[in-house]
Amino acid sequence: VTYNTLINAYCREGLFEEAFQLMNAMSSKGLKPGVLTYNSLINGLCKKGRSDRAKEFVNEMLRMGLSPDTTTYNALLVDKCRKDKSLEAEEILNEMSSRGISPDLVTFSSLISVFARNGQLDRALTYFRDMKNAGLVPDNVAYTALINGYCRNGLMLEALKMRDKMLEQGCIMDVVSYNIILDGLCRMKMLADGDKLFNEMVERRVFPDFYTFTILIHGHCKAGNMDKALSLFDIMTQKSIKPDIVTYNTLIDGFCKVGEMQKANEL
RNA sequence: ACCCUUGGUGUGGA
């Protein structure tokens, strides 16, 4: 467990040389790297954009007589989903099923997410159904990924219906769920509803983060409400939520579009 | 049993 933790830490940082050394140290002590160790390594490689290397380690696992599990394949599949390579993600799903490895909530959420983002809501819905047919109980992440699909298509009524369903099933609205719906409302210029939802969020002690504020600031910038956008920016800093580069870009872009180059410069 | 690995959100004419 100690080795795994260290190897995982190195992999997260992209320090693969150190991780490899540890793996060698392990085997010289007669400890065999297990599935967990490989999973950490494979995950780290994927996150650093080295999915080619990751794939090689999956093969190495097989050679060593280890069985890659759902987490192993999820690491590869999630990587494809993040890069919007939905077809390749589906290939991995097929490979999983041909090896008899069952997809889990992570697998399905990732697939739902990629199709929802890309405007292929029908496909996202299909996977949502498949997930339930597989006997899995959708959690708030799975629901939220799907809700994002409705939001991206401007189907806010459907999105809100799905949120209600999610709550009925006992799932919680967390900060990401709120952010996604807020973003949907803002995109549809339903800023008043956005503000209402934002208040609800605060009342329910779901703490807004810098995504939340950037989404709202963006909405108000697009609507030309630069005063409102600035006041949100102030609230944000008062709450010591650090605006990041995206927040600044959003505001600067907003001021430029309104022709207030001075204010853009002041930021 | 628990622990270690995997999933959902924001800006920029792309």
Side-chain angles (χ1 to χ4, degrees):
Chain A
V1 178
T2 316
Y3 276 109
N4 283 338
T5 309
L6 283 170
I7 288 173
N8 185 35
Y10 282 132
C11 291
R12 271 190 199 292
E13 302 300 321
L15 302 171
F16 297 112
E17 289 313 316
E18 286 81 350
F20 293 144
Q21 277 176 21
L22 263 181
M23 277 178 77
N24 289 334
M26 274 177 89
S27 24
S28 66
K29 291 195 178 185
L31 295 168
K32 286 204 176 68
V35 175
L36 217 59
T37 314
Y38 276 101
N39 285 351
S40 296
L41 189 59
I42 288 164
N43 180 40
L45 287 166
C46 285
K47 291 254 152 70
K48 293 288 170 190
R50 305 301 319 270
S51 53
D52 46 336
R53 292 279 281 138
K55 197 84 215 290
E56 287 171 20
F57 277 102
V58 176
N59 293 330
E60 183 177 312
M61 285 175 85
L62 292 167
R63 278 201 306 277
M64 305 283 288
L66 292 170
S67 318
D69 62 6
T70 303
T71 303
T72 317
Y73 281 102
N74 279 348
L76 301 174
L77 183 142
V78 164
D79 180 57
K80 299 300 182 194
C81 291
R82 285 226 169 93
K83 293 176 181 157
D84 287 334
K85 306 205 168 187
S86 50
L87 290 180
E88 294 178 33
E90 286 181 308
E91 281 173 18
I92 294 174
L93 180 68
N94 290 333
E95 192 174 337
M96 285 172 82
S97 71
S98 69
R99 287 191 179 279
I101 295 166
S102 27
D104 65 1
L105 279 180
V106 175
T107 321
F108 282 114
S109 306
S110 307
L111 289 164
I112 292 167
S113 165
V114 69
F115 286 112
R117 273 200 312 270
N118 294 333
Q120 304 194 61
L121 187 53
D122 50 333
R123 308 249 41 218
L125 278 164
T126 304
Y127 279 113
F128 193 77
R129 225 172 290 128
D130 290 350
M131 177 175 62
K132 292 204 278 195
N133 289 339
L136 296 166
V137 180
D139 62 2
N140 65 332
V141 176
Y143 274 109
T144 302
L146 186 61
I147 289 172
N148 192 33
Y150 287 115
C151 289
R152 303 304 275 223
N153 284 280
L155 303 169
M156 292 316 296
L157 281 180
E158 300 298 329
L160 293 171
K161 263 191 216 161
M162 194 51 71
R163 174 204 54 182
D164 294 339
K165 205 161 169 186
M166 168 172 110
L167 293 171
E168 276 170 28
Q169 301 299 315
C171 296
I172 290 174
M173 286 282 286
D174 65 8
V175 60
V176 178
S177 326
Y178 275 109
N179 287 348
I180 283 172
I181 297 176
L182 282 172
D183 187 51
L185 292 171
C186 287
R187 283 177 199 277
M188 296 307 286
K189 314 245 175 277
M190 301 164 74
L191 295 179
D193 296 280
D195 285 336
K196 247 167 68 183
L197 193 67
F198 178 71
N199 291 332
E200 174 192 305
M201 174 177 187
V202 174
E203 277 165 22
R204 303 205 176 155
R205 319 248 147 175
V206 178
F207 297 111
D209 59 8
F210 57 85
Y211 284 92
T212 318
F213 280 102
T214 307
I215 287 163
L216 291 173
I217 289 170
H218 179 227
H220 285 290
C221 282
K222 281 270 182 273
N225 303 331
M226 292 313 294
D227 297 343
K228 182 78 182 164
L230 259 188
S231 82
L232 282 163
F233 182 78
D234 289 337
I235 294 171
M236 179 177 188
T237 47
Q238 276 162 30
K239 298 201 181 208
S240 55
I241 298 167
K242 295 224 181 309
D244 69 354
I245 179 82
V246 177
T247 317
Y248 282 108
N249 284 344
T250 305
L251 266 175
I252 289 168
D253 182 60
F255 278 122
C256 290
K257 296 246 162 75
V258 173
E260 303 202 50
M261 301 304 289
Q262 302 284 353
K263 293 214 171 132
N265 273 318
E266 285 169 27
L267 293 167

